[in-house]
Amino acid sequence: MFYKHLIPNAKYLTEGNSLHFQAKHADFVIVKQQGTLLAYENRCPHQKRSLSSDSERFFDDDGDYLKCRHHGALFTPSDGQCIAGPCQGKTLKRATIGLEEGDFYLLIAENIESNSAVA
């Protein structure tokens, strides 16, 4: 079973930008790439720390990659793949986004408290 959480203002997210979203005791980063909304857990695979302590600053200075502010790891926003840093070769955990009547929803597995947060 999944919980459906409305992502406020997701339909207004512009290309190459991000939103911070918290639901069910977990943090997520929502990005728009090539017209598609993607969601990842806001957790670096290196030490399981949040990518950013600043809830709106997930991209590097050039706006090309998601960046872990703790150790500088860089992730491609289209697939969450780490391309530089201490977790190179690993990926961010992707979450499922659904669309219903023009609104975007994050679909979260019922067992989120057991750290299996995303579908």
Side-chain angles (χ1 to χ4, degrees):
M1 178 169 182
F2 295 92
Y3 293 104
K4 183 170 76 171
H5 296 274
L6 177 66
I7 307 168
N9 300 318
K11 60 184 162 186
Y12 304 113
L13 188 62
T14 57
E15 187 71 27
N17 284 303
S18 63
L19 288 172
H20 178 249
F21 183 70
Q22 187 169 12
K24 255 338 221 174
H25 311 294
D27 279 335
F28 298 90
V29 57
I30 313 296
V31 298
K32 188 168 189 178
Q33 290 291 301
Q34 299 176 350
T36 302
L37 284 183
L38 303 165
Y40 299 102
E41 276 192 32
N42 182 18
R43 189 179 305 213
C44 180
H46 176 226
Q47 291 182 334
K48 308 299 184 213
R49 295 173 72 181
S50 295
L51 294 174
S52 177
S53 57
D54 176 353
S55 64
E56 296 301 320
R57 186 134 193 236
F58 291 99
F59 280 94
D60 64 353
D61 292 337
D62 295 327
D64 296 326
Y65 300 99
L66 296 170
K67 182 177 182 176
C68 175
R69 300 290 172 199
H70 300 288
H71 299 100
L74 297 175
F75 302 88
T76 54
S78 60
D79 62 7
Q81 182 75 33
C82 182
I83 59 158
C87 54
Q88 192 166 352
K90 294 184 180 179
T91 59
L92 297 173
K93 191 168 184 177
R94 191 153 173 191
T96 301
I97 292 182
L99 177 64
E100 185 177 290
E101 297 180 13
D103 290 319
F104 291 94
Y105 293 86
L106 192 64
L107 303 176
I108 302 175
E110 183 177 76
N111 58 350
I112 188 156
E113 272 86 30
S114 67
N115 291 327
S116 296
V118 293

